[in-house]
Amino acid sequence: MCGIVGYTGPNPCVEVLVDGLRRLEYRGYDSAGIAVLSDGDISVRKSKGKISRLTDLIAREPVSGTCGVGHTRWATHGRPSDENAHPHRVGRVAVIHNGIVENHRTLKERLLSKGRVFCSETDTEVISHLLDEHLDAGMSLEDAARRTVSEIRGSYAFLAVTDKEPGTLVGVRLNCPMVVGLGEGEYFLASDLTAFLSHTRDVLFLEDGEMVVATPDGIRITDFVGKPRKRKPQRIDWSPVMAEKGGYRHFMLKEIHEQPRAILDTLAGRMLPEEGEVFFETLPLSDAQLAAVRKVIVVACGTSWHAALVGKFMIEGLSRIPVEVDLGSEYRYRDPVVDEGTLCVSISQSGETADTLAGMREAKAKAATTISICNVVASTVARESDGVIYTHAGPEIGVASTKAFTTQLAALYLMALRLAQARKILTPKEIALHLTELSDLPRKVEDCLKREGEVAAVAKKYKDAQDFLFLGRGISYPIALEGALKLKEISYIHAEGYPAGEMKHGPIALIDERMPVLVLCAKGESYEKTFSNLEEAHARGGMVIAVGTEGDDILAGKASDVLYLPACGRFARPILEVVPLQLLAYHMAVLKGTDVDQPRNLAKSVTVE
């Protein structure tokens, strides 16, 4: 991932491609490149770093043509480097790709056995080799692409060109966006509208399982087996800024709605539900090393610390290893007890959080094995840890973290299962049940997002509140903390999160008819006790908002408002519970007129102590 653009038509394409990449810069990237069909050959120019480095390279080594592709990369497989930058050319084909090829290891081994040579660390290069192999067998680019998608598994959108068919662009989509721009004798393919809105506002949106073939003479859309698909073009009236946000009013809302895809990408290529197996390519620790762990310390800050608190329940509950959770800003000042049997897990979206990095270094200096969970490939935390689990959330632009948080929870769930697998605490059959639960999470998050209108109505009802209380028990308690933090961050309403059982030890004194109390009361191991706490708040005149499980009509009799979630298991529940809380904070902030994406006094990445 992250941004793709392609062009075919009568005009020089280099400027079109580079301009498209600039318009995709807001998505974040670590390298950029283009491939152009030029004089019967494919010319590739690519570079690590900003687009300015790419344009400098093109100025030194000019290239021209009327058909080509361009890419900005956010590293997933392989560090940011010139070699790993897209496009990837193999033989007579060049490819750019967003997403993840889950079975790339198996395919790469097969291709290596046939004598093929790989030049990068990416999963994308597998696609290039497969296409080239099928072109060598006499297939057209379209047929080669159709054959290739029958061999790869995962979530992807890719564009391909070949010097065998000048002027032809082939695009494929499965669980990653792709849109077609319709010009006068020219066509644009991109991951986002903003890449070509300066050229045309007439578009076709590809759907999952579809392929487009574009030439200056026109376009054809088919499914993966070749059956034609037809749909009418749409006229887009978005401004360029709206296009960057995918039509959403704010980046935060866009990123909330990206969570099903982000969770899917974080899980992809790391589990085999049928076999009950979890694996991480970037976690070079053997079963014996993981089985030798006697204690886990998790170090994080802010929203990542809330993920760490949820992770404690996951790791202890699934792998039966004791877990300590520390704030990065406090950890090294308490002279922690660490030895060779300690595993330190540091969690940071950016991988550059100064306090978290300092805590990890403290643990490492005391002989702990270190693992990081982060969203940025080759960041400092990732480089300095012994192993890393990347969350494939993609760039998160809104300061208030949303998709980074839920992907951290998904990664922690997988890590807890990996530890249980190594320690033989759970059988493959038991692990398989958890993996099935994880596999179903993107769909269930999507179900939660479909209820946004209900959340917006609740936000309108309570927008003038001065204070808010969030309550949860057990694994849901950290979600109460996260819900309160989100409300504070972007709406500037004072909010506190508490364990529901602690309410009667002080916070209950705050409850009156002006105090909204949000209670996380989904069906589960603590349901009855949490319901009792809800009744206590209701009895004292509090305006109770319940977050519960679909079908639980009893809640409606005790709460002023109820937001429902799909039924799920204990360890998946926090990922669903946080979605309505994110939406509530967002809509409260919009109604109050605050700067949602850049709240006052806050920075996206805190790189100082």
Side-chain angles (χ1 to χ4, degrees):
M1 58 183 74
C2 180
I4 61 179
V5 59
Y7 173 84
T8 184
N11 299 314
C13 70
V14 172
E15 185 177 340
V16 173
L17 297 175
V18 172
D19 179 66
L21 296 182
R22 286 198 181 101
R23 293 174 186 275
L24 294 171
E25 279 191 291
Y26 73 93
R27 296 168 63 92
Y29 64 102
D30 52 56
S31 58
I34 63 171
V36 177
L37 290 169
S38 177
D39 298 324
D41 195 10
I42 302 174
S43 297
V44 175
R45 304 288 185 268
K46 60 182 182 177
S47 173
K48 174 186 174 183
K50 295 299 182 182
I51 290 173
S52 58
R53 292 190 61 186
L54 173 64
T55 56
D56 289 344
L57 175 60
I58 294 171
R60 294 193 306 270
E61 303 176 20
V63 59
S64 63
T66 60
C67 179
V69 294
H71 191 269
T72 51
R73 177 177 188 252
W74 174 277
T76 52
H77 291 79
R79 68 192 187 285
S81 68
D82 290 351
E83 296 78 15
N84 290 332
H86 296 211
H88 286 286
R89 179 178 179 176
V90 174
R92 306 189 66 178
V93 67
V95 172
I96 58 175
H97 163 232
N98 283 351
I100 295 173
V101 180
E102 294 180 18
N103 59 333
H104 74 278
R105 292 184 302 172
T106 303
L107 292 170
K108 185 174 182 178
E109 289 171 3
R110 191 192 84 190
L111 291 161
L112 287 169
S113 70
K114 294 181 178 181
R116 288 191 166 263
V117 177
F118 283 73
C119 302
S120 77
E121 303 166 299
T122 69
D123 56 340
T124 303
E125 195 176 354
V126 166
I127 299 174
S128 301
H129 276 281
L130 290 171
L131 288 170
D132 185 60
E133 182 178 66
H134 301 322
L135 288 169
D136 284 347
M139 294 185 188
S140 67
L141 182 58
E142 178 181 357
D143 289 339
R146 190 162 286 119
R147 178 69 177 274
T148 296
V149 298
S150 72
E151 297 172 291
I152 62 177
R153 296 198 313 270
S155 305
Y156 50 81
F158 69 79
L159 297 181
V161 293
T162 175
D163 58 13
K164 290 179 65 176
E165 301 175 34
T168 299
L169 273 176
V170 170
V172 171
R173 171 191 169 151
L174 184 66
N175 296 321
C176 287
M178 184 177 292
V179 61
V180 182
L182 310 174
E184 292 293 332
E186 60 182 0
Y187 299 92
F188 308 82
L189 276 66
S191 55
D192 208 328
L193 291 165
T194 187
F196 57 70
L197 272 187
S198 60
H199 300 278
T200 181
R201 291 176 181 266
D202 295 319
V203 304
L204 293 170
F205 291 94
L206 284 195
E207 297 178 357
D208 283 341
E210 289 188 339
M211 177 184 302
V212 59
V213 179
T215 72
D217 297 324
I219 63 165
R220 286 186 298 104
I221 298 176
T222 68
D223 63 17
F224 282 0
V225 297
K227 184 178 179 180
R229 294 280 181 90
K230 292 183 179 181
R231 65 179 57 89
K232 293 181 180 179
Q234 298 183 41
R235 181 75 176 176
I236 300 298
D237 294 322
W238 293 349
S239 69
V241 172
M242 284 180 67
E244 290 178 1
K245 296 173 183 174
Y248 292 100
R249 186 173 176 181
H250 296 95
F251 281 112
M252 181 182 176
L253 184 60
K254 178 175 183 281
E255 288 155 4
I256 289 171
H257 280 267
E258 287 177 336
Q259 288 178 118
R261 189 276 309 159
I263 294 168
L264 183 68
D265 286 349
T266 297
L267 300 175
R270 290 171 166 174
M271 61 185 198
L272 296 172
E274 299 84 358
E275 286 79 11
E277 183 180 354
V278 178
F279 49 87
F280 297 100
E281 286 186 338
T282 52
L283 200 63
L285 300 176
S286 67
D287 282 4
Q289 289 173 300
L290 293 174
V293 172
R294 295 191 297 272
K295 178 176 71 173
V296 174
I297 296 171
V298 191
V299 180
C301 300
T303 286
S304 295
W305 182 65
H306 298 157
L309 292 171
V310 175
K312 174 183 173 71
F313 285 90
M314 292 174 169
I315 296 167
E316 289 187 342
L318 294 168
S319 69
R320 309 308 298 159
I321 305 173
V323 179
E324 298 175 7
V325 177
D326 277 87
L327 288 161
S329 56
E330 295 289 333
Y331 177 68
R332 62 198 176 111
Y333 299 111
R334 70 173 176 87
D335 192 19
V337 178
V338 178
D339 59 25
E340 293 180 355
T342 301
L343 176 67
C344 175
V345 180
S346 55
I347 307 177
S348 168
Q349 186 281 138
S350 67
E352 304 294 343
T353 309
D355 290 322
T356 302
L357 183 58
M360 184 188 77
R361 287 169 174 165
E362 174 78 8
K364 194 167 189 176
K366 293 186 173 184
T369 299
T370 56
I371 291 174
S372 60
I373 296 176
C374 91
N375 193 37
V376 180
V377 172
S379 59
T380 304
V381 166
R383 291 198 310 272
E384 293 192 13
S385 55
D386 297 316
V388 58
I389 300 173
Y390 288 116
T391 57
H392 296 311
E396 189 176 66
I397 296 170
V399 168
S401 183
T402 52
K403 63 179 181 175
F405 177 69
T406 49
T407 54
Q408 286 169 354
L409 296 185
L412 283 162
Y413 196 167
L414 277 179
M415 190 189 81
L417 291 170
R418 176 71 184 95
L419 286 166
Q421 176 181 304
R423 292 165 58 82
K424 294 183 171 55
I425 301 297
L426 298 178
T427 66
K429 186 176 181 180
E430 289 170 324
I431 293 174
L433 292 173
H434 286 283
L435 296 181
T436 299
E437 179 87 58
L438 272 166
S439 299
D440 210 26
L441 265 175
R443 179 188 62 79
K444 290 182 177 180
V445 172
E446 191 71 54
D447 289 344
C448 293
L449 292 170
K450 290 175 181 176
R451 296 178 178 269
E452 183 178 354
E454 298 170 25
V455 182
V458 172
K460 186 175 182 179
K461 183 175 178 180
Y462 297 100
K463 66 181 177 62
D464 295 323
Q466 299 296 308
D467 303 278
F468 242 89
L469 189 61
F470 289 74
L471 301 176
R473 274 184 180 267
I475 199 169
S476 297
Y477 158 55
I479 304 305
L481 294 176
E482 176 62 10
L485 177 61
K486 283 290 155 288
L487 195 62
K488 283 184 281 194
E489 281 182 310
I490 63 171
S491 74
Y492 315 145
I493 295 173
H494 174 250
E496 298 294 337
Y498 272 90
E502 286 295 297
M503 182 177 65
K504 56 185 172 291
H505 295 287
I508 198 168
L510 297 172
I511 297 175
D512 60 20
E513 65 279 0
R514 297 184 303 276
M515 168 72 84
V517 182
L518 189 146
V519 184
L520 296 167
C521 197
K523 292 282 189 176
E525 65 287 347
S526 300
Y527 174 77
E528 288 79 9
K529 291 185 180 297
T530 307
F531 188 85
S532 175
N533 300 134
L534 184 152
E535 287 187 297
E536 290 174 335
H538 173 72
R540 283 155 181 81
M543 297 180 286
V544 178
I545 307 165
V547 177
T549 304
E550 285 177 333
D552 186 356
D553 297 329
I554 299 175
L555 284 176
K558 296 293 183 180
S560 303
D561 299 275
V562 184
L563 301 172
Y564 286 110
L565 309 171
C568 65
R570 177 189 181 196
F571 300 109
R573 191 167 66 243
I575 298 174
L576 299 183
E577 286 177 325
V578 77
V579 175
L581 306 194
Q582 294 168 344
L583 289 169
L584 179 66
Y586 171 79
H587 284 286
M588 295 276 276
V590 168
L591 289 166
K592 293 181 74 66
T594 63
D595 190 340
V596 172
D597 286 332
Q598 295 182 317
R600 67 190 182 202
N601 304 330
L602 295 177
K604 183 62 181 171
S605 178
V606 183
T607 56
V608 295
E609 289 191 65

